[in-house]
Amino acid sequence: MLALSDPAWALLQGPYGSSQYVPEMLKQLQAGYDGEIADTLYWEELYHQNTLYTCTFAAVPYLVDIALSSSDISIRADIYNICGIFEAKNVNPLHSKVPLEFARDQVELDAGLAEYIYEQYQQAIVRLTELTEEMVLYAKDHEGNVGKRYVLAAAAAFQGYRCVAFMLQSFDTGDEYTLDCPHCGTPLYIWPVEHSDVLVAYDKDPVNSNSLVPYSIQSGSLDHKGSNLQWLYQYAQKIEENNLLAHLPYLNGWLNCPVCNAPISIWDELMKTANGVRKHTA
């Protein structure tokens, strides 16, 4: 890991310029995990306005060390989930050596050191997979559906399913999904029928419109072995996120666009939308 005393921290960038204050915050969390300090570090220094920074990659290995050495499962869960948010937003290709953020922020750091920082980050993400089964069992018994979704999202991100993770985080309440028709661009709103687990589509936002006509969705199979959807289905069962379990056949279903009548694969479009938003806001 990049030593907390290394002057490179002053060259790494955060949302407000130099990340020189990040090492001190990490030291404070090592001495005793404080939720207020952690939240300030996470949301003001490492992931401000849904953006990753070069200092994020250097800080994560320390967070993972804190998680794996803590006997407090709530601390492990907090770090597991926040690192899941980071990794879901990571748009760097799988075999990247230097994250794109180094060029974006024009960080003047030796290429070898930049590679080392990212290598340590990637190894830390792999280490977090050691906690997945424990986090799933813990969330099953102690979290509601929204909390369960964030654990599923983190597990998906660490598994390499970043778009699945980002989609779950974006639609964390599970009461609405949005996408655009890939053929004509019409915005579509996927909502559950009132007092039902059945999902239908609307061509206008139901929040702002009355007396809308619902368009039916043909549900799809969940037995595609080896797919990201099959993985999600299996883990949704493990964690008992029953809302998601009921909706997954529809999210893997098809509908005809109410405007151009072209067929739309909902899951494919949700993944494309998630990937597009991840990259657009990187």
Side-chain angles (χ1 to χ4, degrees):
M1 296 185 290
L2 182 67
L4 295 178
S5 60
D6 197 305
W9 286 99
L11 299 176
L12 295 174
Q13 296 292 296
Y16 309 109
S18 169
S19 65
Q20 59 183 320
Y21 300 113
V22 171
E24 181 58 34
M25 300 177 80
L26 289 170
K27 288 179 184 177
Q28 290 176 315
L29 292 181
Q30 286 177 324
Y33 194 83
D34 180 276
E36 186 174 339
I37 294 172
D39 283 346
T40 301
L41 175 64
Y42 300 157
W43 303 112
E44 295 297 326
E45 300 291 341
L46 305 184
Y47 193 67
H48 186 62
Q49 295 184 341
N50 302 321
T51 302
L52 295 180
Y53 300 91
T54 51
C55 67
T56 313
F57 300 112
V60 162
Y62 285 96
L63 297 177
V64 174
D65 267 4
I66 293 169
L68 294 179
S69 62
S70 176
S71 60
D72 188 333
I73 194 167
S74 66
I75 292 174
R76 297 199 295 277
D78 197 31
I79 293 174
Y80 185 86
N81 287 338
I82 192 65
C83 289
I85 291 173
F86 298 159
E87 181 60 10
K89 192 60 168 59
N90 185 3
V91 298
N92 291 285
L94 183 61
H95 299 295
S96 296
K97 291 188 175 181
V98 176
L100 300 169
E101 287 79 4
F102 279 80
R104 181 198 68 194
D105 296 340
Q106 299 180 321
V107 176
E108 297 180 0
L109 202 66
D110 176 77
L113 183 54
E115 288 184 18
Y116 172 75
I117 289 170
Y118 193 53
E119 179 185 81
Q120 292 292 296
Y121 168 83
Q122 291 174 306
Q123 290 178 4
I125 291 299
V126 171
R127 292 176 68 201
L128 279 173
T129 62
E130 299 172 19
L131 295 179
T132 293
E133 297 301 323
E134 178 190 30
M135 292 297 103
V136 166
L137 291 175
Y138 177 73
K140 179 172 74 73
D141 295 331
H142 296 89
E143 296 285 355
N145 284 338
V146 173
K148 290 176 181 179
R149 279 189 180 236
Y150 274 96
V151 172
L152 285 175
F158 304 148
Q159 185 71 19
Y161 300 139
R162 293 170 177 171
C163 289
V164 174
F166 193 81
M167 185 273 290
L168 290 172
Q169 292 162 3
S170 299
F171 305 116
D172 57 1
T173 60
D175 56 7
E176 179 187 29
Y177 301 86
T178 59
L179 53 92
D180 293 338
C181 173
H183 309 285
C184 69
T186 298
L188 299 173
Y189 303 86
I190 313 297
W191 275 47
V193 174
E194 191 173 5
H195 307 304
S196 169
D197 292 325
V198 175
L199 296 183
V200 294
Y202 298 95
D203 58 358
K204 294 181 178 61
D205 190 343
V207 171
N208 302 318
S209 305
N210 295 318
S211 303
L212 292 177
V213 176
Y215 296 90
S216 63
I217 296 171
Q218 180 181 343
S219 61
S221 170
L222 298 173
D223 60 358
H224 305 294
K225 296 191 182 301
S227 69
N228 56 11
L229 188 66
Q230 176 66 15
W231 179 93
L232 180 58
Y233 178 56
Q234 291 174 343
Y235 272 83
Q237 288 178 309
K238 285 184 179 183
I239 208 169
E240 295 183 4
E241 211 289 54
N242 296 321
N243 194 40
L244 180 60
L245 284 170
H247 290 166
L248 275 177
Y250 297 96
L251 297 181
N252 192 40
W254 292 78
L255 77 150
N256 291 326
C257 174
V259 174
C260 70
N261 203 42
I264 301 170
S265 167
I266 294 175
W267 186 255
D268 288 347
E269 295 310 313
L270 285 174
M271 293 299 98
K272 289 177 186 176
T273 299
N275 198 38
V277 174
R278 287 169 66 248
K279 292 183 176 179
H280 178 72
T281 56

Short mmCIF file of all heavy atoms in Angstrom, two decimals, residues 42-64:
data_model
loop_
_atom_site.label_atom_id
_atom_site.label_comp_id
_atom_site.label_asym_id
_atom_site.label_seq_id
_atom_site.Cartn_x
_atom_site.Cartn_y
_atom_site.Cartn_z
N TYR A 42 -15.59 9.24 2.99
CA TYR A 42 -16.21 8.57 1.84
C TYR A 42 -16.86 9.57 0.88
O TYR A 42 -16.62 9.54 -0.33
CB TYR A 42 -17.27 7.57 2.31
CG TYR A 42 -16.74 6.47 3.20
CD1 TYR A 42 -17.59 5.79 4.07
CD2 TYR A 42 -15.39 6.12 3.21
CE1 TYR A 42 -17.12 4.78 4.89
CE2 TYR A 42 -14.92 5.12 4.04
CZ TYR A 42 -15.78 4.46 4.88
OH TYR A 42 -15.31 3.47 5.70
N TRP A 43 -17.70 10.45 1.42
CA TRP A 43 -18.58 11.25 0.57
C TRP A 43 -17.99 12.61 0.20
O TRP A 43 -18.45 13.23 -0.77
CB TRP A 43 -19.94 11.43 1.24
CG TRP A 43 -20.57 10.12 1.56
CD1 TRP A 43 -20.79 9.58 2.78
CD2 TRP A 43 -21.05 9.14 0.62
NE1 TRP A 43 -21.37 8.34 2.69
CE2 TRP A 43 -21.55 8.03 1.37
CE3 TRP A 43 -21.11 9.09 -0.78
CZ2 TRP A 43 -22.10 6.90 0.78
CZ3 TRP A 43 -21.65 7.95 -1.37
CH2 TRP A 43 -22.13 6.89 -0.60
N GLU A 44 -16.98 13.06 0.95
CA GLU A 44 -16.38 14.37 0.63
C GLU A 44 -15.00 14.25 0.00
O GLU A 44 -14.57 15.17 -0.70
CB GLU A 44 -16.28 15.22 1.91
CG GLU A 44 -17.62 15.59 2.51
CD GLU A 44 -18.46 16.45 1.57
OE1 GLU A 44 -17.88 17.26 0.82
OE2 GLU A 44 -19.70 16.31 1.58
N GLU A 45 -14.31 13.14 0.24
CA GLU A 45 -12.94 13.01 -0.27
C GLU A 45 -12.78 11.92 -1.32
O GLU A 45 -12.04 12.09 -2.29
CB GLU A 45 -11.98 12.73 0.90
CG GLU A 45 -11.95 13.81 1.96
CD GLU A 45 -11.30 15.11 1.46
OE1 GLU A 45 -10.57 15.07 0.46
OE2 GLU A 45 -11.54 16.15 2.10
N LEU A 46 -13.46 10.78 -1.16
CA LEU A 46 -13.21 9.64 -2.03
C LEU A 46 -14.28 9.43 -3.10
O LEU A 46 -14.00 8.82 -4.14
CB LEU A 46 -13.10 8.35 -1.19
CG LEU A 46 -12.06 8.34 -0.07
CD1 LEU A 46 -12.02 6.96 0.59
CD2 LEU A 46 -10.69 8.74 -0.58
N TYR A 47 -15.49 9.95 -2.87
CA TYR A 47 -16.58 9.70 -3.82
C TYR A 47 -17.54 10.88 -3.85
O TYR A 47 -18.75 10.72 -3.76
CB TYR A 47 -17.31 8.40 -3.45
CG TYR A 47 -18.25 7.89 -4.53
CD1 TYR A 47 -17.76 7.41 -5.74
CD2 TYR A 47 -19.62 7.88 -4.33
CE1 TYR A 47 -18.61 6.94 -6.73
CE2 TYR A 47 -20.49 7.40 -5.31
CZ TYR A 47 -19.98 6.94 -6.50
OH TYR A 47 -20.84 6.48 -7.47
N HIS A 48 -17.02 12.06 -3.97
CA HIS A 48 -17.84 13.26 -3.97
C HIS A 48 -18.56 13.41 -5.31
O HIS A 48 -17.95 13.27 -6.37
CB HIS A 48 -16.96 14.49 -3.70
CG HIS A 48 -17.72 15.76 -3.55
ND1 HIS A 48 -18.63 15.95 -2.55
CD2 HIS A 48 -17.70 16.90 -4.27
CE1 HIS A 48 -19.14 17.17 -2.64
NE2 HIS A 48 -18.60 17.77 -3.69
N GLN A 49 -19.85 13.67 -5.27
CA GLN A 49 -20.68 13.85 -6.47
C GLN A 49 -20.53 12.67 -7.45
O GLN A 49 -20.36 12.86 -8.65
CB GLN A 49 -20.35 15.18 -7.15
CG GLN A 49 -20.71 16.39 -6.29
CD GLN A 49 -20.48 17.71 -6.98
OE1 GLN A 49 -19.74 17.81 -7.95
NE2 GLN A 49 -21.11 18.76 -6.45
N ASN A 50 -20.59 11.46 -6.89
CA ASN A 50 -20.61 10.23 -7.69
C ASN A 50 -19.38 10.07 -8.60
O ASN A 50 -19.47 9.51 -9.69
CB ASN A 50 -21.87 10.16 -8.55
CG ASN A 50 -23.13 10.22 -7.71
OD1 ASN A 50 -23.19 9.62 -6.65
ND2 ASN A 50 -24.14 10.94 -8.17
N THR A 51 -18.26 10.54 -8.13
CA THR A 51 -17.03 10.51 -8.94
C THR A 51 -15.91 9.85 -8.15
O THR A 51 -15.75 10.11 -6.96
CB THR A 51 -16.61 11.94 -9.33
OG1 THR A 51 -17.68 12.56 -10.05
CG2 THR A 51 -15.37 11.93 -10.21
N LEU A 52 -15.15 8.99 -8.83
CA LEU A 52 -13.95 8.41 -8.24
C LEU A 52 -12.76 9.33 -8.49
O LEU A 52 -12.69 10.01 -9.52
CB LEU A 52 -13.65 7.03 -8.85
CG LEU A 52 -14.66 5.91 -8.59
CD1 LEU A 52 -14.18 4.63 -9.28
CD2 LEU A 52 -14.88 5.67 -7.11
N TYR A 53 -11.81 9.30 -7.58
CA TYR A 53 -10.61 10.13 -7.71
C TYR A 53 -9.37 9.24 -7.53
O TYR A 53 -9.46 8.12 -7.06
CB TYR A 53 -10.63 11.24 -6.65
CG TYR A 53 -11.83 12.14 -6.82
CD1 TYR A 53 -13.01 11.88 -6.13
CD2 TYR A 53 -11.79 13.23 -7.68
CE1 TYR A 53 -14.13 12.69 -6.30
CE2 TYR A 53 -12.91 14.05 -7.85
CZ TYR A 53 -14.07 13.77 -7.16
OH TYR A 53 -15.18 14.55 -7.34
N THR A 54 -8.22 9.79 -7.91
CA THR A 54 -6.99 8.99 -7.79
C THR A 54 -6.72 8.62 -6.33
O THR A 54 -6.21 7.52 -6.05
CB THR A 54 -5.80 9.76 -8.38
OG1 THR A 54 -5.74 11.08 -7.83
CG2 THR A 54 -5.93 9.87 -9.90
N CYS A 55 -7.09 9.48 -5.40
CA CYS A 55 -6.87 9.15 -3.99
C CYS A 55 -7.77 8.00 -3.53
O CYS A 55 -7.43 7.30 -2.57
CB CYS A 55 -7.07 10.38 -3.11
SG CYS A 55 -8.75 11.01 -3.04
N THR A 56 -8.90 7.80 -4.22
CA THR A 56 -9.80 6.70 -3.86
C THR A 56 -9.08 5.37 -3.97
O THR A 56 -9.18 4.51 -3.07
CB THR A 56 -11.04 6.69 -4.77
OG1 THR A 56 -11.57 8.00 -4.89
CG2 THR A 56 -12.11 5.76 -4.22
N PHE A 57 -8.36 5.19 -5.07
CA PHE A 57 -7.67 3.92 -5.30
C PHE A 57 -6.58 3.68 -4.25
O PHE A 57 -6.34 2.54 -3.84
CB PHE A 57 -7.07 3.90 -6.71
CG PHE A 57 -8.10 4.05 -7.80
CD1 PHE A 57 -8.14 5.19 -8.59
CD2 PHE A 57 -9.05 3.07 -8.02
CE1 PHE A 57 -9.09 5.34 -9.58
CE2 PHE A 57 -10.01 3.21 -9.01
CZ PHE A 57 -10.03 4.36 -9.79
N ALA A 58 -5.94 4.76 -3.80
CA ALA A 58 -4.88 4.61 -2.79
C ALA A 58 -5.46 4.35 -1.41
O ALA A 58 -4.82 3.70 -0.58
CB ALA A 58 -4.01 5.87 -2.78
N ALA A 59 -6.67 4.85 -1.15
CA ALA A 59 -7.26 4.72 0.19
C ALA A 59 -7.92 3.37 0.43
O ALA A 59 -7.93 2.87 1.56
CB ALA A 59 -8.29 5.84 0.40
N VAL A 60 -8.49 2.76 -0.61
CA VAL A 60 -9.28 1.54 -0.43
C VAL A 60 -8.50 0.40 0.25
O VAL A 60 -9.07 -0.28 1.12
CB VAL A 60 -9.88 1.08 -1.78
CG1 VAL A 60 -10.33 -0.38 -1.75
CG2 VAL A 60 -11.07 1.98 -2.14
N PRO A 61 -7.23 0.15 -0.09
CA PRO A 61 -6.54 -0.94 0.62
C PRO A 61 -6.50 -0.76 2.14
O PRO A 61 -6.58 -1.74 2.89
CB PRO A 61 -5.12 -0.91 0.03
CG PRO A 61 -5.33 -0.34 -1.35
CD PRO A 61 -6.39 0.68 -1.18
N TYR A 62 -6.41 0.49 2.60
CA TYR A 62 -6.44 0.74 4.04
C TYR A 62 -7.82 0.44 4.62
O TYR A 62 -7.94 -0.13 5.71
CB TYR A 62 -6.04 2.20 4.33
CG TYR A 62 -4.56 2.42 4.17
CD1 TYR A 62 -4.03 2.91 2.98
CD2 TYR A 62 -3.67 2.11 5.21
CE1 TYR A 62 -2.67 3.11 2.83
CE2 TYR A 62 -2.30 2.30 5.07
CZ TYR A 62 -1.80 2.79 3.87
OH TYR A 62 -0.45 2.96 3.73
N LEU A 63 -8.86 0.81 3.89
CA LEU A 63 -10.22 0.52 4.35
C LEU A 63 -10.44 -0.98 4.45
O LEU A 63 -11.08 -1.46 5.41
CB LEU A 63 -11.25 1.15 3.41
CG LEU A 63 -11.22 2.68 3.32
CD1 LEU A 63 -12.24 3.15 2.28
CD2 LEU A 63 -11.52 3.31 4.68
N VAL A 64 -9.95 -1.71 3.47
CA VAL A 64 -10.13 -3.17 3.48
C VAL A 64 -9.37 -3.79 4.65
O VAL A 64 -9.87 -4.71 5.32
CB VAL A 64 -9.68 -3.78 2.14
CG1 VAL A 64 -9.71 -5.31 2.19
CG2 VAL A 64 -10.58 -3.27 1.01
#
